[in-house]
Amino acid sequence: MGQHLKKRRLDLGLRQKDVAEKLGANPKTYEYWEQEKYEPEFRFLPAILSYLGYDPRPEPKTLAERIQATRHRQGISQRELARRLGLDPSTITAWEAGTVEKPYPRFTRLFEEYVKSV
């Protein structure tokens, strides 16, 4: 992610401080993102993806990966997704971890609809 942020900033002729402000991040935090010392917290992802104009992360393949990627694109926590879907947060955790062995069809449909809706 860091190299994508840096390339975009340089292409636009902006300072790190300017981009950090635009993304709602601390300038030092943004600097660490560019240096790839830290990955941005998911709460910053909606602004970052909008700024970049694309998502540089690998395309999610499994339903578990798609659930997590969709949630991250929205910048919401597992707890918030659970609230929105009317589920227990542990259900979201289990699905994202891929530990659900015998999924209920209702949950599968619910998650499929969620990832398609965003």
Side-chain angles (χ1 to χ4, degrees):
M1 183 77 68
Q3 294 305 309
H4 296 273
L5 287 168
K6 184 175 183 176
K7 181 181 182 323
R8 177 75 171 147
R9 178 178 61 79
L10 294 175
D11 287 349
L12 295 174
L14 299 173
R15 299 176 301 169
Q16 288 179 332
K17 178 181 174 182
D18 300 328
V19 178
E21 185 176 307
K22 179 181 183 84
L23 300 178
N26 178 289
K28 194 66 172 173
T29 300
Y30 178 81
E31 180 183 328
Y32 288 154
W33 293 346
E34 278 196 6
Q35 294 171 357
E36 297 186 347
K37 289 183 177 179
Y38 299 112
E39 282 291 314
E41 294 176 35
F42 63 84
R43 66 187 173 104
F44 290 104
L45 283 177
I48 290 171
L49 299 180
S50 176
Y51 168 72
L52 291 175
Y54 63 96
D55 189 342
R57 298 172 302 165
E59 190 67 31
K61 293 177 179 26
T62 67
L63 179 56
E65 291 171 347
R66 290 175 26 230
I67 293 167
Q68 186 178 55
T70 302
R71 182 175 62 77
H72 284 182
R73 277 195 300 276
Q74 291 181 304
I76 62 173
S77 66
Q78 289 179 338
R79 183 174 301 283
E80 175 59 20
L81 176 58
R83 188 192 65 73
R84 291 180 184 187
L85 298 179
L87 299 172
D88 187 271
S90 65
T91 302
I92 305 297
T93 301
W95 276 78
E96 285 189 3
T99 59
V100 177
E101 293 180 16
K102 295 181 181 180
Y104 292 119
R106 180 178 83 81
F107 287 167
T108 303
R109 281 192 307 278
L110 185 65
F111 285 122
E112 287 289 355
E113 289 172 10
Y114 167 67
V115 298
K116 288 178 185 174
S117 70
V118 179

